[in-house]
């Protein structure tokens, strides 16, 4: 497995997102299979594992903690705070008091003495970013966290945060059909030496070509509320998946591997975290490390039209800085 640099943090250039092991996606799977999936990822050279206190909430961190028993030092472990309030507030809470409670809970659930990369999950409009980063800097000094991250933050917030303490990585949605960070955010990250961690690099499974109708998605699956999976947008978005599949047929790879290879082609400071709870899928995703796309194929993929529909529902979009 090749590696990427997020600031001065070395990680496998393909990570593993653990969210779907505990929440959001509905389908076959259990904790034992999820733990096998994490172990298989580590065996294949994945050193970058992502979770958050809000996943469940809490149970995903506990699952990851169990999976890493005896293997903690093999991974760069990332988790997130800020979507669970520990002060009784409504909405996002990145106040210093809430963070101090959150980090202790995450350390306990993950059964570890340090968090390698600690992200603010969403920007808190009620707390100045300087105050949030200030307390995170104290946690770095105390050795409870090693690196500071942001998620779905805009250019101004990134600059203000980085001026208080170096930010190691920004995590935001990025894929062939979610390219919002390209015009403004990615240039700023590179100017400041901040790494980029794309989540949902497979378009929540859409770009794998495995989903061909809305009816295949369980009513309780969170994608049912995603505008891109709505009936009025679904058929149009199938064209993107079909173009990825066409390139995959040329390459002799799967559509998922091609979609990941496209993301990886965008720089050695990018480390996507495709999520799965199945051993077979983590094996498929990791194999994208060996897929090479020609300039012509990359050009075809670059021209894949933007997806129809926002990439989150209306409530979630309000929490994303652009």
């Amino acid at each position: 497995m090749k590696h990427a640099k997020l600031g001065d943090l070395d990680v496998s250039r393909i990570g593993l997102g653990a969210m779907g092991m505990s929440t959001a996606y509905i389908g076959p799977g259990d904790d034992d299979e999820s733990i096998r999936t994490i172990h298989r990822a580590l065996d294949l050279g994945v050193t970058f594992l992502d979770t958050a206190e809000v996943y469940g909430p809490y149970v995903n961190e506990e699952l990851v903690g169990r999976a890493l028993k005896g293997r903690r030092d093999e991974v760069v472990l990332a988790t997130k705070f800020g979507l669970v309030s520990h002060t009784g507030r409504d909405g996002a809470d990145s106040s210093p008091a809430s963070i101090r409670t959150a980090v202790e809970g995450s350390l306990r659930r993950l059964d570890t003495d340090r968090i390698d990369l600690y992200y603010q999950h969403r920007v808190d409009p009620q707390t100045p970013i300087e105050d949030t980063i200030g307390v995170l800097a104290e946690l770095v000094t105390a050795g409870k966290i090693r690196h500071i991250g942001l998620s779905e933050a805009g250019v101004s917030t990134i600059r203000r945060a980085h001026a208080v303490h170096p930010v190691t990585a920004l995590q935001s949605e990025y894929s062939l059909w979610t390219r919002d960070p390209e015009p403004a955010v990615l240039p700023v990250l590179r100017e400041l030496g901040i790494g980029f961690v794309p989540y949902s690099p497979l378009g929540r499974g859409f770009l794998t070509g495995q989903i061909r109708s809305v009816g295949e998605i369980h009513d309780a699956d969170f994608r049912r509320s995603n505008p891109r999976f709505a009936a009025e947008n679904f058929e149009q978005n199938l064209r993107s998946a079909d173009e990825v599949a066409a390139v995959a047929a040329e390459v002799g790879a799967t559509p998922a591997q091609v979609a990941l290879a496209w993301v990886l082609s965008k720089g050695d400071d990018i480390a996507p975290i495709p999520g799965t709870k199945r051993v077979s899928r983590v094996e498929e995703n990791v194999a994208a490390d060996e897929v090479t796309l020609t300039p012509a194929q990359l050009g075809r993929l670059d021209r894949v039209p933007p997806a129809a529909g926002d990439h989150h529902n209306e409530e979630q979009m309000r929490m994303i800085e652009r």
Side-chain angles (χ1 to χ4, degrees):
M1 169 75 72
K2 302 180 187 71
H3 278 224
K5 293 290 281 188
L6 306 175
D8 62 356
L9 184 60
D10 182 89
V11 298
S12 58
R13 70 171 186 158
I14 299 174
L16 174 61
M19 180 187 78
M21 297 176 180
S22 303
T23 189
Y25 296 94
I26 304 299
D30 55 38
D31 283 0
D32 289 342
E33 174 69 3
S34 294
I35 289 172
R36 285 192 293 271
T37 298
I38 292 172
H39 289 169
R40 183 59 176 149
L42 270 56
D43 292 342
L44 291 170
V46 172
T47 68
F48 190 27
L49 191 57
D50 183 272
T51 182
E53 69 169 354
V54 78
Y55 298 160
Y58 309 130
V59 294
N60 194 244
E61 287 184 327
E62 293 170 351
L63 172 66
V64 169
R66 293 198 303 275
L68 292 182
K69 198 77 170 175
R71 305 189 70 171
R72 171 65 182 90
D73 292 340
E74 297 179 39
V75 301
V76 171
L77 181 56
T79 192
K80 311 176 199 74
F81 68 89
L83 289 183
V84 176
S85 175
H86 299 282
T87 66
R89 273 178 31 183
D90 291 332
D93 187 352
S94 290
S95 63
S98 191
I99 294 171
R100 290 189 179 101
T101 301
V103 73
E104 297 300 335
S106 289
L107 288 167
R108 182 179 65 255
R109 289 185 292 272
L110 291 166
D111 193 18
T112 186
D113 62 351
R114 83 281 183 193
I115 294 163
D116 297 310
L117 180 56
Y118 200 39
Y119 293 100
Q120 180 191 43
H121 209 150
R122 291 291 185 270
V123 176
D124 173 7
Q126 299 184 65
T127 304
I129 193 65
E130 290 82 0
D131 293 352
T132 295
I133 301 299
V135 74
L136 293 175
E138 293 173 9
L139 295 176
V140 172
T141 300
K144 295 184 177 184
I145 68 175
R146 293 180 56 225
H147 297 268
I148 295 171
L150 301 173
S151 181
E152 294 288 13
V155 167
S156 175
T157 297
I158 294 167
R159 289 192 182 278
R160 289 168 54 202
H162 195 70
V164 176
H165 185 282
V167 173
T168 294
L170 174 78
Q171 182 178 140
S172 293
E173 185 168 352
Y174 183 61
S175 69
L176 274 164
W177 69 346
T178 304
R179 302 180 64 174
D180 311 42
E182 289 182 343
V185 169
L186 276 174
V188 168
L189 297 183
R190 282 164 176 161
E191 173 194 335
L192 299 176
I194 299 171
F196 185 46
V197 179
Y199 72 84
S200 294
L202 301 177
R204 297 181 174 82
F206 202 106
L207 296 174
T208 68
Q210 300 296 309
I211 304 169
R212 302 302 298 180
S213 73
V214 179
E216 296 174 35
I217 302 170
H218 193 283
D219 287 346
D221 191 301
F222 89 117
R223 288 172 291 187
R224 280 287 192 169
S225 69
N226 186 290
R228 294 183 176 180
F229 289 80
E232 62 271 21
N233 296 324
F234 194 95
E235 290 301 321
Q236 181 175 334
N237 289 333
L238 279 177
R239 299 174 202 163
S240 299
D242 290 343
E243 184 66 7
V244 175
V247 172
E250 290 181 7
V251 175
T254 68
Q257 289 165 350
V258 165
L260 285 171
W262 177 88
V263 172
L264 294 171
S265 76
K266 297 304 178 179
D268 57 9
D269 55 355
I270 294 178
I273 49 167
T276 185
K277 55 189 171 186
R278 297 181 181 86
V279 169
S280 61
R281 291 300 183 203
V282 85
E283 291 173 340
E284 177 184 6
N285 292 342
V286 166
D289 185 49
E290 299 299 327
V291 173
T292 300
L293 301 173
T294 67
Q297 289 164 342
L298 288 170
R300 283 176 61 187
L301 294 170
D302 284 340
R303 292 189 292 274
V304 167
D310 278 335
H311 49 102
H312 290 287
N313 63 34
E314 186 176 342
E315 178 184 1
Q316 293 166 330
M317 288 299 294
R318 286 196 294 268
M319 302 179 73
I320 294 176
E321 285 195 342
R322 285 291 181 261

